[in-house]
Amino acid sequence: MGITIQQFEGLPLIEPNDDLAQILIDLLPQQQFQLKEHDILVVAQKIVSKAEGRQVLLSEVSPSFKAIKLAQEVEKDARLVEVILQESTEIVRKKKGVLITRHRLGHVSANAGVDQSNISHEAGPSALLLPLDPDESARKIQHQIAQQTGVDVGVVISDSANRPWRLGSTSITIGVANCTVLEDWRSEQDIFGRTLKITMVNRADSIATAANLVMGETTEQIPVAVVRGIPNTFPNDQSVKVCHRPLSEDLFR
């Protein structure tokens, strides 16, 4: 049958304290497919963060001296920089218009994943932060779906990201449940019998990027997709943390 990617349609705009898993379950009868065992739901980080109340009003943020000084260097709103610093453990790179940080979860990205797009600014300039624990967020969605539908699915929480040496954004996984993150092929052999020494495949990021082809990045309003036909050949109880490169292997520090 191969791999298929289905749009999950009909989701309303998600608000703080919404039961996201229940909303998805209630919308299942309206979809053009039936949820099956081993399907993988790819859920955009943005709606998870919204449901978990991770949106902040910048008018309620008091920037520190460090944030004010850094904001002048990178020409950003000092209140936004303060939020970014609170979410980060390290400033990796900075220049006019660019602030790359290491997020407290381990991801290296622009602005610590703090985003101002596709959220309401009706009450004033706002910013949306990543979930506090995306793996736990994914586990809760996965457990609730399995409990109410009897279908054992995987859940991937995806976020858009840029790569240092390539233009254009792709998607990465920031939270996962019941789905393989890394396939470790080291010590296996290639088609010519040569032992593989460094080959590891990031299955979760590949799934997130594939789903992004139907979810989109702008006005599509498709924050969930279902990926079908990908077998789990490796342990599916991994945390997304297994794909963070150790600092000791960072050649660009």
Side-chain angles (χ1 to χ4, degrees):
M1 184 179 87
I3 297 171
T4 62
I5 306 170
Q6 296 273 1
Q7 293 179 333
F8 200 108
E9 299 180 340
L11 267 78
L13 289 177
I14 301 300
E15 301 291 343
N17 300 315
D18 276 351
D19 188 335
L20 183 55
Q22 192 61 53
I23 290 173
L24 294 175
I25 292 167
D26 292 344
L27 286 173
L28 281 173
Q30 302 177 25
Q31 306 308 309
Q32 300 298 312
F33 58 89
Q34 287 188 327
L35 208 57
K36 293 184 178 180
E37 205 84 353
H38 307 307
D39 281 352
I40 300 171
L41 270 72
V42 180
V43 184
Q45 162 268 323
K46 195 151 287 182
I47 63 171
V48 177
S49 291
K50 286 181 178 179
E52 295 181 359
R54 297 288 287 160
Q55 186 166 332
V56 297
L57 276 170
L58 294 187
S59 61
E60 298 177 354
V61 177
S62 298
S64 62
F65 175 78
K66 180 179 179 180
I68 293 172
K69 185 173 183 298
L70 181 58
Q72 292 171 346
E73 291 183 57
V74 298
E75 297 187 353
K76 292 182 180 290
D77 187 322
R79 300 168 300 175
L80 180 63
V81 172
E82 176 62 33
V83 174
I84 292 169
L85 289 176
Q86 291 178 9
E87 287 289 287
S88 305
T89 61
E90 178 188 4
I91 298 172
V92 178
R93 290 288 186 273
K94 59 181 179 178
K95 59 176 281 189
K96 179 179 176 181
V98 178
L99 186 55
I100 308 297
T101 73
R102 189 177 304 278
H103 191 274
R104 57 179 175 77
L105 294 170
H107 314 292
V108 176
S109 63
N111 304 323
V114 177
D115 197 0
Q116 293 187 283
S117 64
N118 287 321
I119 61 173
S120 173
H121 295 272
E122 186 175 353
S126 301
L128 193 67
L129 286 58
L130 298 186
L132 286 173
D133 186 345
D135 277 337
E136 180 62 21
S137 302
R139 284 191 292 266
K140 287 180 178 178
I141 295 172
Q142 192 275 333
H143 177 73
Q144 192 168 339
I145 291 174
Q147 192 174 49
Q148 293 195 36
T149 68
V151 182
D152 189 28
V153 299
V155 174
V156 162
I157 296 177
S158 68
D159 193 14
S160 59
N162 287 290
R163 298 153 296 170
W165 296 279
R166 295 180 74 87
L167 293 175
S169 64
T170 182
S171 288
I172 62 171
T173 296
I174 65 166
V176 66
N178 202 34
C179 178
T180 298
V181 178
L182 282 184
E183 292 183 342
D184 189 349
W185 292 103
R186 292 173 298 183
S187 79
E188 300 294 327
Q189 294 185 334
D190 67 12
I191 60 174
F192 296 104
R194 186 174 183 273
T195 299
L196 301 173
K197 296 181 179 180
I198 61 173
T199 303
M200 301 177 75
V201 177
N202 194 317
R203 169 76 70 90
D205 281 358
S206 297
I207 292 170
T209 294
N212 187 59
L213 293 173
V214 302
M215 293 165 68
E217 292 280 0
T218 53
T219 60
E220 294 85 355
Q221 295 188 33
I222 305 292
V224 180
V226 176
V227 180
R228 177 172 296 168
I230 298 181
N232 269 327
T233 55
F234 282 77
N236 60 358
D237 59 351
Q238 297 174 331
S239 163
V240 77
K241 295 175 183 177
V242 301
C243 67
H244 293 158
R245 187 177 295 280
L247 293 180
S248 59
E249 297 180 12
D250 187 344
L251 301 180
F252 302 95
R253 290 171 61 81

